[in-house]
């Protein structure tokens, strides 16, 4: 049966069945995982790819893992060969230079065969392991400058052979991580998810037959491509450019790392060009070429088919230009531990570049990089722990509404926080405050989303922290007259009532139980002239505690007295600043 004559209803049923299978895989990995990074934060992605490594379906999760899900299979073809796989085999890989990201992110994948042992496709799961060994707890540090320092690097290693665990590789992993129970437990959870995907794919093929299944997938890819092409065709042709930067690479402090993005739109195709990017850095903000692919695909998907369940066809109209040896196409021995600093900011810059072509769709700048506090020590049970505390921030105001607040960066997708109660019950940590950061959002007709503030104390003398906060100097930008959002920042108060010291990047922070760490995710930039914001919306923000009365007056030209808008004073304020009476 050809792709042109398969029943459209059957195509749709198979499409949704594949998505449902991926969603069941996600449920399983979350329930079986040992670490909060997976069962709470959901720093994981699962999905199904076809026998050529093309994405069939994924569950909602981490976009940076989703976009290049098939790369681990493509690398398997290169290293092992297409004929190496056997039923029941499960391979894993965490090599940043071939599958992107950093050593902590380990992909497991399982080849799926039909009754005649013909390859149907692969089930894939990739999650963040809390520690893969190396010189620093958590396998990343600002002080590390080579991949060899960051931990155990594995490329296309057989983890299970014909359904049975390979003892040697389990021992190697267990002996090289500070958290063997958690890491091996999380990897087994990924294995369980892959086996769930295998069962569900067998069910689909058994119901419809191999011929119909293959034909439906061809149609799904073609439909995805057509939708993406149509979206690109609606953009004006042009050569669009923008840039954003990180404060530094963590080693050469104060030296900005600038990302000049180029986006070319021609007819129904888009090219994202990273040719002018800086070379790979000494610090650990690098990622391999697969990371560049994931960045480009992530941005392209959001710009073209943001509401469609992903499949490989959506990416066919996208071309990527990235020479080797760049910060997003690094080669050994580049350190990659803090790769996410780079990826989220590059995606932000891509949106900034195309904003003139899509003024009705593109938001203002977001906080760009998740401020991170990585804590390690001994937990309440006397066992070693490694825990990372990501603090969310604000996204940019949008052409038709305000930006969302207290949300993770673009490339992190749907990942939530670990509940405070879970942290305090298991770790020697006291969370004193978790709240929106007042006046952090960029002012605009549609204001940015608010940043988030978290204040914590370390209650154990054995505990130490690593702070990694970037995008402090590259503030979230406004668009079309909108104001900047507050940037990311972090502070340490050495004693109760003492001064707050600005500390953006520091390893090995040891503090008394009286000391506090404050981490603030930046706010999103504003969209449009703040003097055009409806005064009642400004009042609602003041009442909610999102903005102060001072900001209402100084940024929005809205006078508030006795919990009400002073209409006459507001008109006078706005006229004095060149605004009209809109939004009174």
């Amino acid at each position: 049966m050809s792709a042109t004559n398969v029943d459209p209803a059957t195509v749709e049923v198979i499409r949704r069945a594949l998505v449902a299978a991926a969603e069941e895989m996600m449920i399983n990995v979350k329930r079986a995982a040992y670490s909060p990074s997976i069962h709470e934060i959901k720093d994981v992605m699962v999905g199904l790819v076809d026998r050529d490594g093309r994405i069939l379906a994924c569950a909602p999760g981490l976009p940076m893992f989703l976009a290049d899900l098939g790369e681990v299979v493509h690398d398997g073809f290169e290293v092992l060969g297409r004929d190496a796989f056997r039923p029941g085999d499960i391979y894993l890989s965490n090599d940043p230079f071939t599958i992107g990201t950093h050593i902590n992110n380990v992909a497991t994948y399982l080849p799926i065969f039909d009754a005649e042992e013909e390859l149907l496709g692969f089930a894939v799961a990739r999650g963040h392991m809390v520690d893969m060994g190396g010189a620093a707890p958590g396998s990343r540090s600002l002080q590390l400058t080579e991949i060899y320092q960051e931990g155990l690097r594995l490329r296309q290693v057989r983890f299970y052979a014909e359904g049975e665990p390979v003892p040697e590789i389990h021992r190697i992993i267990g002996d090289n991580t500070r958290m063997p129970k958690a890491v091996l437990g999380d990897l087994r959870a990924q294995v369980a998810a892959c086996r769930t995907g295998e069962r569900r794919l067998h069910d689909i093929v058994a119901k419809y037959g191999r011929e119909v299944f293959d034909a439906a997938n061809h149609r799904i890819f073609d439909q995805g491509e057509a939708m993406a092409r149509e979206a690109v065709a609606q953009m004006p042709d042009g050569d669009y450019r923008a840039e954003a930067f990180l404060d530094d690479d963590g080693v050469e402090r104060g030296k900005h790392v600038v990302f000049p993005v180029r986006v070319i739109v021609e007819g129904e195709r888009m090219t994202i060009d990273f040719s002018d990017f800086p070379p790979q850095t000494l610090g650990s903000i690098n990622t391999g070429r697969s990371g560049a692919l994931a960045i480009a695909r992530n941005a392209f998907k959001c710009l073209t088919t943001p509401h469609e369940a992903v499949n490989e066809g959506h990416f066919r109209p996208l071309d990527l230009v990235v020479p080797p040896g760049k910060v997003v196409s690094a080669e050994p021995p580049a350190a990659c531990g803090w790769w996410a600093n780079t990826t989220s900011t590059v995606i932000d810059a891509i949106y900034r570049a195309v904003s003139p072509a899509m003024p009705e769709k593109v938001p203002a700048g977001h906080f760009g990089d998740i401020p991170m506090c990585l804590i390690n020590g001994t937990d309440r049970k006397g066992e070693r722990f490694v825990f990372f505390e990501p603090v969310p921030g604000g996204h940019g105001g949008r052409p038709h509404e305000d930006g969302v607040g207290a949300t993770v960066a673009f490339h992190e997708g749907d990942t939530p926080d670990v509940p405070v109660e879970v942290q305090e019950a298991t770790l020697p940590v006291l969370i004193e405050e978790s709240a929106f950061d007042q006046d952090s959002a960029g002012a605009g007709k549609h204001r940015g989303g608010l940043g988030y503030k978290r204040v914590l104390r370390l209650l154990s003398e054995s505990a130490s922290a690593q702070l990694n906060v970037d995008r402090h100097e590259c503030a979230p930008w406004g668009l079309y007259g909108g104001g900047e959002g507050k940037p990311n920042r972090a502070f340490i108060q050495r004693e109760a009532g003492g001064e707050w010291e600005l500390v953006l990047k520091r390893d090995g922070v040891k503090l008394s139980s009286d000391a506090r760490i404050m981490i603030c995710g930046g706010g999103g930039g504003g969209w449009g002239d703040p003097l055009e914001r409806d005064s009642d919306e400004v009042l609602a923000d003041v009442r909610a505690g999102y903005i102060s009365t001072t900001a209402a007056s100084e940024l929005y030209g809205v006078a508030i007295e006795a919990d009400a808008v002073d209409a006459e004073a507001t008109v006078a304020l706005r006229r004095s600043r060149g605004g009209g009476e809109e939004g009174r």
Side-chain angles (χ1 to χ4, degrees):
M1 181 179 293
S2 70
T4 58
N5 60 15
V6 67
D7 182 347
T10 300
V11 172
E12 196 62 25
V13 170
I14 290 175
R15 183 204 309 274
R16 298 304 169 185
L18 290 167
V19 173
E23 289 175 345
E24 188 176 350
M25 291 171 66
M26 179 63 81
I27 291 170
N28 283 5
V29 75
K30 286 181 63 182
R31 287 181 173 176
Y34 281 45
S35 303
S37 60
I38 294 179
H39 65 66
E40 295 289 348
I41 296 176
K42 204 165 70 172
D43 195 349
V44 64
M45 172 55 68
V46 297
L48 297 166
V49 302
D50 73 2
R51 61 180 175 272
D52 294 317
R54 296 174 298 188
I55 299 171
L56 294 172
C58 300
L62 213 68
M64 279 299 292
F65 291 177
L66 177 158
D68 64 346
L69 194 68
E71 290 303 294
V72 68
V73 174
H74 296 152
D75 187 58
F77 293 157
E78 180 177 335
V79 174
L80 307 169
R82 285 178 175 264
D83 298 329
F85 305 107
R86 295 291 180 267
D89 286 353
I90 296 176
Y91 285 83
L92 60 78
S93 190
N94 71 342
D95 177 36
F97 306 107
T98 53
I99 70 166
T101 71
H102 60 178
I103 277 175
N104 298 76
N105 294 333
V106 182
T108 58
Y109 68 101
L110 178 154
I112 303 171
F113 296 87
D114 64 15
E116 286 73 39
E117 294 197 4
E118 291 290 326
L119 187 62
L120 286 171
F122 298 83
V124 186
R126 176 160 63 177
H128 180 103
M129 303 299 115
V130 292
D131 182 270
M132 289 297 290
S139 306
R140 45 187 171 164
S141 166
L142 301 166
Q143 300 175 9
L144 305 184
T145 57
E146 290 188 326
I147 193 70
Y148 313 114
Q149 301 165 334
E150 293 185 322
L152 184 64
R153 182 164 141 233
L154 303 163
R155 184 181 179 193
Q156 302 300 335
V157 175
R158 191 157 61 167
F159 193 49
Y160 281 69
E162 298 181 8
E164 297 298 323
V166 178
E168 294 84 356
I169 190 60
H170 282 71
R171 284 200 302 271
I172 288 173
I173 294 172
D175 290 344
N176 283 278
T177 172
R178 297 168 179 84
M179 305 282 289
K181 291 181 181 178
V183 170
L184 289 172
D186 290 342
L187 289 175
R188 288 194 296 269
Q190 292 187 186
V191 168
C194 288
R195 287 174 172 164
T196 297
E198 178 184 37
R199 289 195 300 272
R200 294 297 171 255
L201 194 63
H202 280 157
D203 291 343
I204 296 168
V205 174
K207 183 173 183 178
Y208 295 100
R210 178 67 181 268
E211 190 176 10
V212 171
F213 174 73
D214 286 343
N217 288 332
H218 283 297
R219 176 67 68 83
I220 290 168
F221 290 159
D222 289 345
Q223 290 173 344
E225 178 182 4
M227 294 176 70
R229 284 184 177 277
E230 181 180 359
V232 176
Q234 293 175 5
M235 304 177 195
D237 285 0
D239 189 333
Y240 302 100
R241 301 176 187 241
E243 64 181 40
F245 64 88
L246 294 180
D247 300 341
D248 53 54
D249 70 349
V251 174
E252 297 183 272
R253 298 293 177 89
K255 180 181 177 182
H256 291 171
V257 182
V258 182
F259 306 125
V261 166
R262 183 183 183 193
V263 180
I264 302 167
V265 177
E266 292 181 310
E268 296 181 340
R269 298 200 66 81
M270 177 184 289
T271 300
I272 296 179
D273 189 345
F274 297 142
S275 296
D276 295 331
F277 270 42
Q280 60 194 59
T281 64
L282 189 61
S284 58
I285 62 169
N286 306 287
T287 184
R289 188 187 184 281
S290 180
L293 177 67
I295 291 168
R297 284 185 160 197
N298 192 327
F300 182 78
K301 183 73 170 64
C302 291
L303 292 170
T304 55
T305 56
H307 303 298
E308 297 297 318
V310 69
N311 66 70
E312 193 75 24
H314 291 134
F315 305 119
R316 287 176 176 171
L318 172 67
D319 298 310
L320 173 65
V321 179
V322 54
K326 301 291 185 179
V327 67
V328 292
S329 57
E331 299 177 328
C336 300
W338 290 108
W339 65 283
N341 295 28
T342 295
T343 56
S344 56
T345 290
V346 174
I347 293 170
D348 216 9
I350 292 171
Y351 296 151
R352 189 179 194 178
V354 300
S355 59
M358 308 177 70
E360 77 290 353
K361 291 185 178 180
V362 175
H366 83 323
F367 70 115
D369 176 57
I370 297 178
M372 192 74 70
C373 181
L374 197 151
I375 307 168
N376 80 96
T378 304
D379 66 16
R380 298 186 186 280
K381 297 179 181 178
E383 298 179 353
R384 184 74 177 268
F385 77 89
V386 178
F387 177 78
F388 59 93
E389 176 72 63
V391 176
H395 285 236
R398 292 167 281 186
H400 307 294
E401 59 187 334
D402 296 341
V404 294
T407 305
V408 293
F410 285 134
H411 72 299
E412 297 285 346
D414 302 329
T415 55
D417 282 343
V418 176
V420 168
E421 294 81 3
V422 172
Q423 295 182 40
E424 294 182 339
T426 57
L427 304 174
V429 172
L430 177 65
I431 309 298
E432 293 194 338
E433 183 178 5
S434 279
F436 282 122
D437 187 17
Q438 189 180 62
D439 290 340
S440 58
K445 180 178 181 179
H446 304 295
R447 62 161 173 76
L450 273 80
Y452 208 64
K453 176 171 63 176
R454 182 157 295 170
V455 179
L456 60 90
R457 291 162 56 192
L458 305 180
L459 302 182
S460 168
E461 292 183 0
S462 76
S464 64
Q466 176 186 165
L467 287 171
N468 191 329
V469 179
D470 212 295
R471 286 291 296 271
H472 178 69
E473 296 180 26
C474 181
W477 51 82
L479 286 179
Y480 306 105
E484 291 184 346
K486 276 190 179 179
N488 299 324
R489 54 212 186 280
F491 305 87
I492 292 176
Q493 186 188 56
R494 297 277 173 184
E495 57 186 21
E499 294 292 324
W500 288 97
E501 174 193 4
L502 179 68
V503 179
L504 300 178
K505 295 177 181 176
R506 187 174 296 176
D507 273 12
V509 178
K510 294 188 72 68
L511 300 168
S512 74
S513 58
D514 292 328
R516 290 165 176 80
I517 300 173
M518 180 194 300
I519 313 170
C520 301
W527 194 99
D529 187 349
L531 298 180
E532 295 181 8
R533 186 170 179 80
D534 189 286
S535 58
D536 287 338
E537 293 181 357
V538 176
L539 176 62
D541 283 347
V542 171
R543 287 174 173 171
Y546 297 163
I547 66 174
S548 63
T549 55
T550 299
S553 173
E554 293 181 354
L555 300 179
Y556 293 94
V558 175
I560 296 176
E561 295 290 342
D563 197 35
V565 174
D566 184 330
E568 186 175 339
T570 294
V571 170
L573 271 174
R574 289 186 162 181
R575 282 179 174 170
S576 71
R577 296 173 189 175
E581 298 185 13
E582 299 88 347
R584 280 193 301 171

